């Protein structure tokens, strides 16, 4: 197989990916081998590949490819999430562009459009992952709203409802006025905002005095049903038992007392709006206050908004400020910074709202999931996230699982015409249940299914079970073989959203963990430390990067600076480094394959090289195994990178290669090909495309063979004595090279190396070859005109009198001595200045003393060099 002179990724990537697909190398079926399973965090069907996906899926592919090469039956299940809010927003936008409003359509008509959009766009991101080299079992591709997953979701809802873990009730929820749906607490992002604190004057009934309330939301006064003071607040004690009048609205409300009120905030008087504030809602429940909902679902004021009905809430805030000022009912306004909740999906300001919703009890269900992580049955990498996890799970609240949307799994609750409801897997089953409950005539058409759908996370929390159909068929071969899965790779921001809930589902429906290890990636950031995002315009298109640098280079670049849980400071130079490494591998391979081979005796330097690199390879393999066990993938990559770039290319090949225009002995050549085979296998999980191309070219292959189904090289105990011996030899080689560089002695001029002291001569042949020595000998005294250097306590001397102009060299060295003497004089002036020594930081003084010592050492070395040249 002829190799091109230059590595061109585009020529080989699509070729080998199709080859892998054609041969079914990604497919997995249960068999006698140990299973290794990863389920992909399903990207939204609305999504396209971004840098976060690149990092996450590169890590997953590395783990899966390595597992295959360890002899395991590796199964990576791909799929997508239906993403209720995001997808519905996309479809509504598409329809609006066509002049169609959602309200003009029936639910069935809208869903037709939603499915059409999903089928057209939903698979885009999975196709893009193929460009990255993702070795998913594509035959297993799942979708959270396909038939099997939908059946699983409905079955789980009915089961949890029957167990009393799902209930329906009016509660204060987070309302998204843009998406027109309730959100769970975890879907609300709090951002610090600079706003205003309004001091409103409530007239005390029957008096000419006012009680002043500080609020950030004057637009909600129409929903006030009480004013509250702290019973321990002496400054407001005169308000006890009285009533006040809401400004502008002129409705009378009572003054109540509760220690919840912060005496120090504002004036110590709190307006209580039970329908639009979580804490006010609790006060309302406690004191049996009336709740007045003043908002429509879209954030405009309803008929309870008096003269502001129909206006947007923020417009009302502006108008009411002017109206209060005009009426003399606004005492003052202060600048105020507080945290405001925003919808994670639409970025709309959340409106606390009383709403009838479906909830799932979490406290008891969460206990085994908390225990599993705290006791390391499930390990988090890095473990620092255990504290975050513990905090969330110990403070878990009931999960609001209903959403006021059409796209999603419709809640299987059916309302009866005279009140009440039944929960069932189907309308037919619901009808049978209903008949046993009522004493009046009923037809199936009398049942009305709940309009709401389930939170998207209510389907994805079942993902590790449902992708193997473990809810519908709990004893099928796949679920018994592949579950629990091995590793989950995901982002820390969905540790509670998704990871914790999957653990809850695992223990509830399988009685065991859904996965054993959770690898939490960091956030990809730009050079300024900002999170990469479309809105900032600071994120490159991953497909453009792949087209420019190649998939292997991008994979390498993504992982080079990406330790688990730490953010990745991305720069294109990382991909450039990846491309350079590809070129290094390619050129090294072409060099080796370009050698002429002959049946000649193996040189001693080559024999040493083979023995040493075999030991070095085994040492690195053991190190890589250990790093993978600890999920330190970036460090594992660096270990392979250094092994190839430094040890193999810079040292081994230099020792093993034949002299110019001479053949290489067959023994060394075959050993070198063997090393290349091992290196390609170790590199394959990180860089699948170039390693396949070169492995195929290593020797004649049959159709259907592939590096990806070969076993990883097995490490044996490394010869540490041999490795440390060569490290010593490297220092000698570096010393000789430094002398050549400093004295401008070309490599073609052969040198002699004299040794004064103890020396390990095992690597003399390699040293001689790499720095072109004619002799290495132990001596008692150095030859006149020599330059020396130390390795440890052993002195090495190189006679160079006949290679340089001694007088010129001595003159140059004397000039250097003079420079350093002047430098020491300036340092000593500083150190002799008592004020400097007394006032400067200790580390500054220490740095000056170190400069003195270093300069004195250099002077001593130069004087010794002059003495050597004069001998």
């Amino acid at each position: 197989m002829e190799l091109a002179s230059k590595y061109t990724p585009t020529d080989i990537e699509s070729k080998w990916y199709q080859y892998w697909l054609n041969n079914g190398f990604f497919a997995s079926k249960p068999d006698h081998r140990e299973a290794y399973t990863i389920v992909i965090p399903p990207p939204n069907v609305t999504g396209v590949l971004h840098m976060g996906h690149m990092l996450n899926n590169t890590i997953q592919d590395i783990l899966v490819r390595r597992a295959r090469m360890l002899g395991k039956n590796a199964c990576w299940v791909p799929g997508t999430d239906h993403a209720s809010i995001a997808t519905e927003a996309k479809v509504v936008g598409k329809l609006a562009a066509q002049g169609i409003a959602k309200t003009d359509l029936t639910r069935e008509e809208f869903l037709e459009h939603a499915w059409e959009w999903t089928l057209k766009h939903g698979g885009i991101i999975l196709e893009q992952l193929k460009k990255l080299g993702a070795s998913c079992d594509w035959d297993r591709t799942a979708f959270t709203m396909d038939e099997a997953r939908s059946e699983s979701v409905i079955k789980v809802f009915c089961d949890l409802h029957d167990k009393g873990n799902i209930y329906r009730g009016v509660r204060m929820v987070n309302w998204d006025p843009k998406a027109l749906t309730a959100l769970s607490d975890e879907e609300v992002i709090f951002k610090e905002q600079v706003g205003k604190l309004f001091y409103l004057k409530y007239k005390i009934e029957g008096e000419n005095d006012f009680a002043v309330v500080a609020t950030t939301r004057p637009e909600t006064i129409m929903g006030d049903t009480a004013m509250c003071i702290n019973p321990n607040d002496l400054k407001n004690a005169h308000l006890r038992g009285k009533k006040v009048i809401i400004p502008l609205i002129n409705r009378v409300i009572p003054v109540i007392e509760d220690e919840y009120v912060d005496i120090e905030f504002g004036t110590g008087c709190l307006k209580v709006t039970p329908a639009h504030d979580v804490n006010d809602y609790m006060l309302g429940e406690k004191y049996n206050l009336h709740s007045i909902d003043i908002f429509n679902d879209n954030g405009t004021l309803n008929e309870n908004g008096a003269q502001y009905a129909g206006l947007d809430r923020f417009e009302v805030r502006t108008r009411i400020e002017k109206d209060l000022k005009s009426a003399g009912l606004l005492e003052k306004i202060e600048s105020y910074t507080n945290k405001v909740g925003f919808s994670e999906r639409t970025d709309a300001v959340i409106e606390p709202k009383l709403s009838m919703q479906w909830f799932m009890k979490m406290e008891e269900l969460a206990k085994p999931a908390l225990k599993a992580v705290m006791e390391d049955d499930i390990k988090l990498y890095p473990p620092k996230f255990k504290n975050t996890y513990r905090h969330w799970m110990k403070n878990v609240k009931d999960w609001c699982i209903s959403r006021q949307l059409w796209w999603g799994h419709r809640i299987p609750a059916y309302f009866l015409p005279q009140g009440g409801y039944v929960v069932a897997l189907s309308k037919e089953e619901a009808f049978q249940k209903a008949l046993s409950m009522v004493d009046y005539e009923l037809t199936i058409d009398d049942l009305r299914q709940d309009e709401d759908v389930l939170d998207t996370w209510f389907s994805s929390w079942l993902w590790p079970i449902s992708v193997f159909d473990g809810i519908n068929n709990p004893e099928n071969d796949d679920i018994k073989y592949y579950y629990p899965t091995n590793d989950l790779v995901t982002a820390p921001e969905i540790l509670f959203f998704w990871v914790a809930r999957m653990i809850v589902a695992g223990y509830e429906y399988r009685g065991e963990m859904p996965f054993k290890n959770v690898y939490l990636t960091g956030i990809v950031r730009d050079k300024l430390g900002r999170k990469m995002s479309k809105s900032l315009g600071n994120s490159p298109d991953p497909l453009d990067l792949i087209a420019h640098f190649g998939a292997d280079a991008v994979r390498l670049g993504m992982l080079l600076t990406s330790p688990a849980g730490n953010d990745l400071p991305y720069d294109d130079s990382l991909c450039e480094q990846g491309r350079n490494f590809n070129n290094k591998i390619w050129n090294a391979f072409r060099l080796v394959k370009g050698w002429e081979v002959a049946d000649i005796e193996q040189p001693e330097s080559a024999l040493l090289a083979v023995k040493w690199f075999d030991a070095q390879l085994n040492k690195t393999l053991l190190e890589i195994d250990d790093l993978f066990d600890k999920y330190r993938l970036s460090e594992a990559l660096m270990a392979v990178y250094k092994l190839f770039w430094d040890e193999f290319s810079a040292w081994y090949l230099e020792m093993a290669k034949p002299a110019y225009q001479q053949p290489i002995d067959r023994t060394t050549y075959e050993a070198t090909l063997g090393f290349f085979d091992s290196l390609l296998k170790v590199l394959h999980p990180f860089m699948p495309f170039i390693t396949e191309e070169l492995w195929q070219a290593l020797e004649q292959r049959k159709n259907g063979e592939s590096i990806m189904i070969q076993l990883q090289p097995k490490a044996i105990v490394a010869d540490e004595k041999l490795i440390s011996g060569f490290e010593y030899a490297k220092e000698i080689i570096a010393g000789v090279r430094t002398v050549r560089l400093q004295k401008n002695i070309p490599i073609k001029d052969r040198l002699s190396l004299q040794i004064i002291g103890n020396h390990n001569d095992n690597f003399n042949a390699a040293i001689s070859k790499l720095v072109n020595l004619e002799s290495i000998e132990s001596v008692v005294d150095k030859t006149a005109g020599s330059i020396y250097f130390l390795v440890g306590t052993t002195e090495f001397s190189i006679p160079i009198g006949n290679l340089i102009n001694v007088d010129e060299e001595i003159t140059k060295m004397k000039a250097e001595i003079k420079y350093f003497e002047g430098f020491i004089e300036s340092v000593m002036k500083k150190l002799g200045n008592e004020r400097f020594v007394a006032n400067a930081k200790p580390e500054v003084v220490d740095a000056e003393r170190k400069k003195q010592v270093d300069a004195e050492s250099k002077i001593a070395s130069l004087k010794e060099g002059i003495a050597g040249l004069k001998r």
Side-chain angles (χ1 to χ4, degrees):
M1 179 175 170
E2 187 81 21
L3 277 185
S5 61
K6 188 179 177 185
Y7 175 58
T8 312
T10 50
D11 293 346
I12 69 164
E13 289 174 358
S14 57
K15 172 183 76 175
W16 289 121
Y17 198 86
Q18 194 58 51
Y19 178 78
W20 295 329
L21 285 174
N22 292 346
N23 284 279
F25 293 144
F26 303 159
S28 175
K29 294 277 186 283
D31 62 21
H32 63 281
R33 292 174 293 168
E34 178 188 346
Y36 175 86
T37 318
I38 288 184
V39 292
I40 200 170
N44 291 350
V45 288
T46 58
V48 290
L49 201 64
H50 60 59
M51 297 298 279
H53 292 133
M54 290 281 281
L55 174 61
N56 185 295
N57 287 282
T58 293
I59 292 167
Q60 289 179 81
D61 196 47
I62 289 166
L63 292 171
V64 168
R65 285 180 181 273
R66 179 173 163 83
R68 275 193 203 98
M69 297 181 78
L70 292 174
K72 297 176 184 178
N73 187 352
C75 179
W76 183 12
V77 183
T80 49
D81 192 295
H82 65 277
S84 291
I85 296 175
T87 305
E88 185 146 325
K90 290 276 188 185
V91 176
V92 168
K94 173 181 173 287
L95 291 171
Q98 297 170 2
I100 304 169
K102 178 185 172 183
T103 51
D104 296 337
L105 302 174
T106 65
R107 185 186 194 109
E108 290 67 30
E109 288 169 341
F110 178 82
L111 289 176
E112 281 181 22
H113 285 283
W115 275 110
E116 181 187 338
W117 189 93
T118 299
L119 293 171
K120 183 177 179 181
H121 298 279
I124 290 174
I125 192 165
L126 298 183
E127 289 302 311
Q128 291 174 330
L129 284 176
K130 294 176 181 179
K131 296 284 187 186
L132 185 65
S135 58
C136 301
D137 184 348
W138 298 109
D139 293 337
R140 292 182 177 272
T141 302
F143 175 47
T144 52
M145 270 183 66
D146 64 25
E147 189 176 344
R149 261 50 64 182
S150 294
E151 188 181 334
S152 301
V153 169
I154 301 307
K155 190 170 281 190
V156 165
F157 181 94
C158 293
D159 176 66
L160 290 171
H161 181 270
D162 291 346
K163 290 173 180 173
N165 288 322
I166 286 178
Y167 63 93
R168 185 170 184 259
V170 176
R171 296 287 186 278
M172 181 67 68
V173 297
N174 305 298
W175 187 262
D176 183 337
K178 189 172 181 182
L180 302 180
T181 182
L183 303 176
S184 66
D185 289 345
E186 294 74 37
E187 292 168 295
V188 178
I189 308 298
F190 284 91
K191 303 178 190 177
E192 205 165 76
Q193 301 286 298
V194 178
K196 295 177 180 179
L197 190 61
F198 301 85
Y199 285 77
L200 314 186
K201 296 164 74 173
Y202 287 63
K203 191 174 187 303
I204 303 169
E205 188 183 39
E207 298 181 21
N208 287 323
D209 200 3
F210 292 88
V212 178
V213 170
T215 179
T216 57
R217 305 201 60 197
E219 70 275 13
T220 62
I221 59 173
M222 287 74 75
D224 291 357
T225 54
M227 177 182 286
C228 191
I229 61 171
N230 191 310
N232 304 311
D233 184 3
L234 296 178
K235 69 179 182 296
N236 285 316
H238 65 286
L239 294 173
R240 285 179 183 162
K242 295 183 179 178
K243 295 182 178 180
V244 294
I245 301 168
I246 301 172
L248 300 178
I249 308 306
N250 297 323
R251 179 159 45 79
V252 177
I253 56 174
V255 176
I256 62 174
E257 298 176 56
D258 195 278
E259 290 187 346
Y260 162 74
V261 178
D262 182 356
I263 296 172
E264 302 302 321
F265 178 76
T267 62
C269 293
L270 176 77
K271 65 189 281 299
V272 183
T273 318
H276 298 294
D277 183 274
V278 175
N279 297 311
D280 291 6
Y281 173 71
M282 290 189 288
L283 282 174
E285 291 278 287
K286 186 173 180 180
Y287 294 100
N288 199 27
L289 298 174
H290 182 46
S291 288
I292 303 173
D293 186 347
I294 66 166
F295 289 119
N296 294 312
D297 288 349
N298 62 0
T300 59
L301 272 68
N302 61 23
E303 66 278 4
N304 294 323
Q307 63 266 41
Y308 305 104
L311 298 177
D312 180 77
R313 55 190 167 151
F314 296 116
E315 186 180 347
V316 174
R317 186 178 298 178
T318 303
R319 288 199 184 191
I320 212 166
E321 178 184 342
K322 293 175 183 174
D323 293 345
L324 287 165
K325 277 181 183 174
S326 299
L329 297 172
L330 184 59
E331 185 176 87
K332 62 177 178 177
I333 298 174
E334 293 177 346
S335 179
Y336 185 68
T337 301
N338 66 334
K339 289 194 172 178
V340 177
F342 288 78
S343 167
E344 183 201 32
R345 291 292 180 198
T346 66
D347 204 38
V349 174
I350 290 302
E351 193 60 59
K353 180 180 171 67
L354 276 178
S355 181
M356 178 67 79
Q357 299 289 341
W358 292 89
F359 296 88
M360 181 169 148
K361 295 177 183 177
M362 290 296 292
E363 189 175 356
E364 288 303 314
L365 289 170
K367 285 179 180 177
L370 174 61
K371 182 172 180 282
V373 172
M374 289 304 103
E375 295 183 359
D376 284 335
D377 294 332
I378 298 172
K379 292 185 172 66
L380 304 186
Y381 294 93
K384 68 180 181 181
F385 286 106
K386 280 175 72 174
N387 289 333
T388 307
Y389 183 89
R390 180 175 61 235
H391 174 75
W392 277 336
M393 296 301 274
K394 282 196 168 181
N395 297 282
V396 69
K397 295 177 183 175
D398 287 359
W399 175 10
C400 177
I401 57 173
S402 47
R403 298 291 181 269
Q404 288 61 56
L405 302 164
W406 282 351
W407 176 247
H409 299 101
R410 194 170 178 182
I411 291 174
Y414 299 84
F415 297 101
L416 307 176
Q418 294 184 26
Y421 66 86
V422 292
V423 168
L425 294 171
S426 65
K427 192 169 186 178
E428 289 71 25
E429 183 183 311
F431 179 56
Q432 293 304 316
K433 279 189 175 183
L435 286 175
S436 66
M437 290 171 55
V438 302
D439 58 1
Y440 53 86
E441 192 174 328
L442 188 69
T443 69
I444 195 168
D445 293 332
D446 291 329
L447 298 184
R448 179 179 60 82
Q449 188 174 355
D450 196 311
E451 293 288 326
D452 292 351
V453 299
L454 288 160
D455 178 10
T456 300
W457 296 106
F458 195 85
S459 52
S460 53
W461 80 312
L462 303 173
W463 191 245
I465 306 172
S466 67
V467 294
F468 299 114
D469 206 22
I471 299 293
N472 302 319
N473 300 294
E475 294 303 313
N476 76 72
D477 290 343
D478 277 2
I479 193 73
K480 288 195 289 185
Y481 182 73
Y482 293 114
Y483 188 96
T485 67
N486 295 76
D487 299 322
L488 177 75
V489 181
T490 190
E493 56 261 37
I494 54 173
L495 182 57
F496 183 78
F497 265 138
W498 189 46
V499 179
R501 288 169 177 166
M502 283 191 288
I503 298 171
V504 170
Y507 282 100
E508 180 66 14
Y509 286 101
R510 296 298 301 174
E512 59 181 327
M513 67 189 80
F515 30 72
K516 296 159 191 165
N517 306 289
V518 181
Y519 182 107
L520 296 156
T521 64
I523 295 169
V524 185
R525 299 189 180 276
D526 66 12
K527 285 185 279 190
L528 301 176
R530 301 173 303 173
K531 182 178 178 179
M532 286 192 165
S533 69
K534 244 188 265 181
S535 58
L536 286 175
N538 63 344
S539 179
D541 183 331
L543 294 179
D544 289 345
L545 292 178
I546 290 172
H548 185 65
F549 294 105
D552 287 335
V554 176
R555 289 166 66 111
L556 202 77
M558 294 300 290
L559 206 62
L560 278 171
T561 60
S562 181
N566 290 341
D567 292 349
L568 186 155
Y570 176 80
D571 184 78
D572 280 354
S573 61
L574 292 169
C575 295
E576 188 72 50
Q577 187 178 352
R579 182 167 62 185
N580 292 344
F581 189 47
N582 274 287
N583 291 334
K584 185 77 172 178
I585 298 167
W586 189 264
N587 292 334
F589 189 86
R590 291 186 68 247
L591 171 72
V592 171
K593 292 294 278 185
W595 289 338
E596 181 189 343
V597 186
D599 292 313
I600 55 177
E601 187 178 351
Q602 184 181 34
E604 187 183 353
S605 60
L607 174 64
L608 284 169
V610 170
K611 285 182 177 178
W612 163 73
F613 189 75
D614 185 59
Q616 186 66 55
L617 174 64
N618 278 297
K619 180 183 178 181
T620 308
L621 289 175
L622 290 169
E623 181 188 351
I624 290 165
D625 288 345
D626 179 61
L627 291 168
F628 265 99
D629 288 344
K630 294 171 180 172
Y631 291 83
R632 288 156 64 175
L633 271 61
S634 286
E635 292 172 58
L637 171 58
M638 279 311 300
V640 189
Y641 183 95
K642 288 176 181 175
L643 177 66
F644 192 95
W645 193 291
D646 297 338
E647 310 299 358
F648 184 70
S649 298
W651 289 105
Y652 173 77
L653 290 181
E654 289 301 309
M655 284 191 285
K657 73 181 182 183
Y660 181 62
Q661 291 189 335
Q662 296 299 309
I664 189 170
D665 68 280
R666 191 171 301 281
T667 303
T668 304
Y669 180 71
E670 288 177 355
T672 304
L673 293 184
F675 289 146
F676 232 116
D677 180 78
S678 294
L679 288 166
L680 291 174
K681 287 172 181 173
V682 178
L683 281 164
H684 177 76
F686 300 100
M687 308 169 75
F689 293 109
I690 190 172
T691 50
E692 183 72 83
E693 176 79 0
L694 296 181
W695 187 82
Q696 295 284 346
L698 200 57
E699 60 181 71
Q700 193 69 35
R701 306 289 183 194
K702 297 174 187 172
N703 186 41
E705 286 189 292
S706 171
I707 189 172
M708 69 172 287
I709 53 172
Q710 303 301 306
L711 291 177
Q712 283 279 310
K714 205 168 180 78
I716 59 172
V717 177
D719 186 340
E720 291 288 349
K721 189 176 178 183
L722 186 63
I723 292 169
S724 62
F726 190 63
E727 290 303 310
Y728 165 76
K730 283 180 183 179
E731 290 188 60
I732 298 170
I733 292 163
V736 176
R737 285 173 173 170
T738 299
V739 171
R740 282 190 181 277
L741 185 66
Q742 289 175 344
K743 306 308 175 188
N744 294 318
I745 302 170
I747 189 68
K748 65 181 176 61
D749 293 345
R750 306 193 77 188
L751 299 174
S752 294
L753 183 65
Q754 298 177 342
I755 307 155
I756 303 159
N758 295 322
H759 170 63
N760 176 356
D761 61 1
N762 290 339
F763 287 94
N764 280 6
I767 295 168
S768 294
K769 178 175 182 178
L770 290 176
V771 288
N772 194 19
L773 299 179
E774 60 185 2
S775 65
I776 300 176
E777 58 180 344
S778 293
V779 297
V780 177
D781 293 313
K782 288 176 283 190
T783 303
S786 295
I787 297 292
Y788 82 97
F789 59 90
L790 289 171
V791 175
T793 56
T794 301
E795 187 174 338
F796 293 84
S797 173
I798 301 173
I800 58 170
N802 61 332
L803 297 172
I804 61 171
N805 185 314
V806 173
D807 291 338
E808 280 183 12
E809 195 63 32
I810 290 173
T811 301
K812 194 191 301 180
M813 293 166 82
K814 283 180 176 177
E816 285 187 66
I817 290 171
K818 190 173 182 182
Y819 165 77
F820 283 118
E821 285 173 342
F823 179 76
I824 289 173
E825 191 177 331
S826 68
V827 170
M828 293 308 294
K829 279 182 184 176
K830 273 190 184 179
L831 293 173
N833 184 332
E834 290 181 11
R835 185 180 294 176
F836 169 77
V837 174
N839 295 328
K841 292 180 180 178
E843 57 266 30
V844 174
V845 176
D846 289 345
E848 292 299 319
R849 288 188 176 130
K850 186 176 185 305
K851 287 178 187 176
Q852 176 195 348
V853 171
D854 289 347
E856 287 171 346
S857 172
K858 284 172 182 172
I859 288 171
S861 178
L862 286 163
K863 285 181 176 177
E864 180 72 23
I866 290 171
L869 290 174
K870 285 181 175 178
R871 284 180 192 151

